[in-house]
Amino acid sequence: MAAATPAPKVPSKKVRRRRRFVALLITLTVFVAAVAIGAQFLKPLLGMDKVSDYPGPGTGSVTVTVAPGSGPKLVATNLQSQHVIADADSFVAAFTAAGGELSPGDFTFKTEMKNSDAVNVLLGKDSSKVMYFALSAGLRIGESLDAISKGSGIPLSELKALSDSPAQFGVPAPAKNLEGFLAPGEYRFPLGTSAKDILQKLVTATTDELKAQGVTDPAKQYQAITVASIVQAEGGQADYGNVAGAIYNRLKPGNTETNGLIQSDATVTYGLGTKTFHLTDAQKADKSNPYNTYANVGLPVGPIGSPGKTAIDAAAKPTANNYLYWVTINLDTKETKFSSTLAEHLKYVDQYNAWCAANAGRCV
């Protein structure tokens, strides 16, 4: 007889439950792993891996230049590309909330800064970490150097000594100092920047503007800056081109109306070391004043202040006109009247005198 085959042993209920639990656990583990892996692929697509701000305070040093006319979005994009901030959009939101305005210049940041800290750099609220000063257009050399000294902590005597040796800064040979070549604007420099480097930065901004306008010959550069400084002092910004055109008309050899005399009050007062709207006949007749354009033919011996970009551009490319005279008849609006004859000019001078009479204390 054949041997009987034993019946298969059926697993107990306890074993079956354990097997189902293990299978379920394995399935759940695989599912969780799949979700985790999938999320890593989806995050970049959904923007979920985007960091909106760094914890700060950051490391290293990054210098970023804010060009004139730059908006917060452009600056933010530049900052993000250089890893100063994490996200341009969140930075723009922080900058807007701070209520500040952008100023052109060079700014020193760290990499991976908090948005709020980077905003403070742009707004100059970390003045303890930078040298900061602002120069207005039309300032005379002494005023400019004084502002630089106060903002940088550099002794005024050191700045003046450098200014009085202008050849080292690449300015035209006739210059006796840096008058006219210290570009107006707001400036921020890292602590410890040398006086020479600071002055060179300002001078370069001016000479670069001249070159951008096609004025590359040193003699013509010096003439343009001298004319621009008079334009800056004499007219409202909207009239710079016409004032420059009138000055060049007066310098023409064939001019018999004014015989080569510019007749600018601003140049005379510069030579006198004063600031006034009225000159005496004796002051206008004094030929010993090298800046007296009533008594001495042609341009004064040098610039009479720091012209801004608009004035420099006007001097480099003056408006073509037939004017020989101009007078600002309203010191508030800077409204300027132009004429080709003395008779017409005197009528406008009467308007200026009437404005002065109606605005006591303004025309002194």
Side-chain angles (χ1 to χ4, degrees):
M1 292 180 61
T5 303
K9 190 176 182 179
V10 179
S12 66
K13 289 183 178 180
K14 184 176 182 180
V15 172
R16 290 199 300 271
R17 283 198 300 270
R18 186 183 302 117
R19 288 177 178 174
R20 285 197 298 269
F21 176 76
V22 171
L24 180 62
L25 184 61
I26 293 173
T27 301
L28 182 61
T29 301
V30 171
F31 176 75
V32 171
V35 170
I37 294 171
Q40 296 303 314
F41 285 101
L42 287 174
K43 277 185 178 181
L45 298 177
L46 300 176
M48 295 171 61
D49 66 334
K50 196 173 184 179
V51 178
S52 62
D53 198 3
Y54 290 125
T59 58
S61 178
V62 178
T63 299
V64 175
T65 298
V66 176
S70 297
K73 180 64 176 178
L74 177 62
V75 174
T77 301
N78 190 13
L79 291 175
Q80 182 179 340
S81 69
Q82 298 196 53
H83 307 291
V84 173
I85 59 172
D87 175 60
D89 291 335
S90 61
F91 175 81
V92 170
F95 185 85
T96 302
E101 293 185 3
L102 278 176
S103 299
D106 293 332
F107 299 84
T108 302
F109 300 87
K110 297 177 181 179
T111 58
E112 299 191 0
M113 296 181 70
K114 291 181 62 176
N115 283 334
S116 58
D117 291 340
V119 167
N120 286 339
V121 171
L122 285 175
L123 298 183
K125 294 182 178 179
D126 63 338
S127 57
S128 63
K129 300 178 183 177
V130 296
M131 297 175 173
Y132 169 83
F133 56 86
L135 304 180
S136 300
L139 290 183
R140 296 176 179 178
I141 186 67
E143 296 170 317
S144 294
L145 295 179
D146 185 59
I148 295 171
S149 176
K150 290 178 178 176
S152 66
I154 297 171
L156 181 60
S157 58
E158 181 181 351
L159 292 167
K160 186 177 184 306
L162 287 167
S163 173
D164 289 344
S165 300
Q168 62 186 308
F169 296 98
V171 301
K176 303 301 181 185
N177 54 37
L178 293 179
E179 182 70 277
F181 288 91
L182 299 181
E186 287 190 86
Y187 294 93
R188 294 171 177 82
F189 292 91
L191 290 177
T193 303
S194 71
K196 184 176 181 180
D197 286 347
I198 290 175
L199 295 180
Q200 186 66 70
K201 172 78 174 181
L202 275 60
V203 171
T204 299
T206 297
T207 54
D208 282 352
E209 184 59 31
L210 287 168
K211 293 173 184 176
Q213 295 301 316
V215 185
T216 56
D217 178 74
K220 291 183 178 179
Q221 286 183 341
Y222 198 65
Q223 180 191 56
I225 285 298
T226 301
V227 171
S229 69
I230 300 173
V231 168
Q232 183 75 55
E234 288 279 353
Q237 184 165 314
D239 302 306
Y240 285 169
N242 277 324
V243 173
I247 291 174
Y248 285 118
N249 289 340
R250 282 175 171 254
L251 295 174
K252 290 178 179 178
N255 167 30
T256 57
E257 176 77 18
T258 61
N259 299 306
L261 296 171
I262 294 178
Q263 297 175 316
S264 164
D265 291 354
T267 65
V268 180
T269 58
Y270 180 88
L272 294 172
T274 63
K275 289 187 177 182
T276 178
F277 291 104
H278 294 290
L279 296 169
T280 67
D281 289 339
Q283 289 171 329
K284 291 181 179 180
D286 182 13
K287 284 192 173 185
S288 67
N289 178 353
Y291 292 89
N292 185 352
T293 54
Y294 280 94
N296 300 305
V297 173
L299 289 171
V301 294
I304 61 171
S306 294
K309 178 183 183 300
T310 308
I312 292 175
D313 294 352
K317 297 178 179 178
T319 301
N321 59 49
N322 295 317
Y323 300 138
L324 289 169
Y325 301 92
W326 67 91
V327 58
T328 301
I329 64 171
N330 186 315
L331 300 184
D332 287 336
T333 65
K334 301 296 183 182
E335 180 183 1
T336 303
K337 295 289 188 178
F338 296 87
S339 52
S340 300
T341 66
L342 179 60
E344 186 180 12
H345 173 66
L346 291 176
K347 293 179 181 178
Y348 294 138
V349 171
D350 288 339
Q351 292 183 28
Y352 164 72
N353 290 330
W355 187 91
C356 291
N359 295 268
R362 292 298 312 282
C363 306
V364 296

